[in-house]
């Protein structure tokens, strides 16, 4: 595990290439390409799909950044402007996606429900970035598959003890989730139920993975992390939506 892939020199200035950022970029490229492919196979407008995708990614990053800002402000009493929290990306991305769909006249829910395996694959790649970057690390653990971070810039290296490879657990779960939705053909794409079930599946996965997490940055109050609270709310919402409610009225 190494937080940096190397250095990039441009006009006499050397900048480190972060492993996490590189994996996030790869995740966006791969999942975006798969979403566009799914839209094309469904005979949706590819250009409008790409525009809606750009809005969704932008809204997702904004929501993830705002939630990180809020969590750190509550946890430490001071704002932290560098970092993202995935659960903030869900409402931010969904709101941006729905707004873009109305503006562009695109059935974004249909595109989303055709593209759910792409989301799982992209998210899994992002979690591999967490693993190699040393963030989102696990609790101390001395089992056969334990990992030890030693790079001084890896948050998991302080202290450099053996730990659960928590990001790997989540990445494997996300790939399994992607496989389930790839094999399960949508009966009525666009109803919102399939997306709700995917959200519920991920929230259940996250509730389990959080048990093995050991990083304080995710915020913990009375033994419950911010992500566990968000996952529980998301799971309840997903179950309600899956019972017949539409995501867009």
């Amino acid at each position: 595990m190494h937080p940096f892939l190397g250095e990039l020199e441009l006009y006499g200035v050397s900048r480190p290439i972060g492993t996490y950022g590189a994996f996030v970029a790869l995740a966006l490229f791969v999942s975006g390409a798969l979403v566009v492919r799914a839209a094309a196979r469904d005979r949706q407008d590819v250009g409008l799909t790409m525009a809606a995708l750009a809005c969704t990614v932008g809204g997702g990053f904004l929501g993830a950044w705002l939630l990180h800002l809020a969590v750190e402000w509550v946890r430490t009493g001071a704002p932290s402007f560098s970092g993202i929290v995935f659960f903030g990306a869900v409402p931010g991305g969904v709101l941006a996606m729905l707004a873009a769909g109305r503006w562009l006249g695109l059935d974004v829910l249909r595109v989303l429900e055709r593209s759910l395996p792409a989301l799982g694959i992209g998210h899994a790649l992002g979690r591999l970035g967490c693993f190699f970057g040393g963030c989102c690390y696990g609790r101390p653990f001395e089992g056969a598959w334990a990992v030890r971070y030693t790079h001084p810039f890896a948050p998991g290296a302080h202290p450099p003890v053996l730990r659960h490879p928590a990001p790997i657990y989540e990445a494997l779960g996300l790939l399994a989730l992607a496989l389930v939705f790839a094999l399960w053909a949508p009966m009525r794409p666009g109803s919102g139920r399939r997306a709700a079930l995917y959200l519920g599946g991920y929230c259940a996965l996250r509730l389990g993975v959080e048990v093995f997490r050991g990083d304080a940055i995710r915020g913990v109050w009375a033994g419950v992390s911010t992500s566990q609270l968000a996952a529980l709310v998301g799971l309840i919402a997903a179950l309600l939506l899956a019972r017949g409610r539409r995501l867009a009225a």
Side-chain angles (χ1 to χ4, degrees):
M1 294 76 73
H2 202 290
F4 301 106
L5 291 176
E7 291 191 358
L8 176 66
E9 290 192 12
L10 188 64
Y11 299 110
V13 178
S14 180
R15 299 280 298 185
I17 302 175
T19 307
Y20 175 74
F23 268 89
V24 169
L26 178 63
L28 290 174
F29 175 79
V30 171
S31 57
L34 292 175
V35 169
V36 172
R37 178 176 178 269
R41 294 180 64 181
D42 197 40
R43 298 182 180 179
Q44 299 286 336
D45 188 292
V46 171
L48 294 181
T49 299
M50 293 177 69
L53 186 60
C55 293
T56 303
V57 171
F61 271 111
L62 178 61
W65 177 75
L66 288 174
L67 183 57
H68 171 80
L69 180 68
V71 169
E72 284 299 283
W73 208 325
V74 172
R75 188 176 73 89
T76 66
S80 173
F81 297 98
S82 60
I84 55 177
V85 175
F86 171 76
F87 273 112
V90 177
V94 168
L95 290 174
M97 178 190 70
L98 295 176
R102 291 201 174 192
W103 178 48
L104 297 170
L106 180 69
D107 190 349
V108 290
L109 277 178
R110 185 179 178 90
V111 174
L112 171 64
E113 296 199 319
R114 292 285 192 187
S115 309
L116 291 174
L119 300 185
I121 293 170
H123 197 172
L125 286 172
R127 281 306 180 197
L128 288 180
C130 294
F131 176 70
F132 288 110
C135 63
C136 304
Y137 52 86
R139 287 183 168 189
F141 173 63
E142 296 186 359
W145 57 91
V147 297
R148 190 196 308 272
Y149 296 97
T150 57
H151 195 283
F153 285 100
H158 305 284
V161 298
L162 290 171
R163 299 183 179 277
H164 277 285
I168 297 297
Y169 297 163
E170 187 168 341
L172 291 174
L174 285 163
L175 290 177
L177 196 60
L179 179 61
V180 168
F181 280 86
L183 296 176
W184 174 32
M187 299 298 292
R188 292 191 304 115
S191 68
R193 291 183 182 180
R194 186 175 166 88
L197 289 172
Y198 179 90
L199 175 62
Y202 173 71
C203 288
L205 169 65
R206 188 61 180 270
L207 282 170
V209 171
E210 280 293 308
V211 175
F212 303 102
R213 289 274 294 266
D215 52 319
I217 197 171
R218 72 197 197 284
V220 178
W221 294 276
V224 180
S225 71
T226 304
S227 294
Q228 283 175 314
L229 291 173
L232 182 59
V233 171
L235 181 59
I236 293 171
L239 292 175
L240 292 174
L241 290 168
R243 290 183 63 182
R245 297 185 180 184
R246 293 179 60 88
L247 290 176

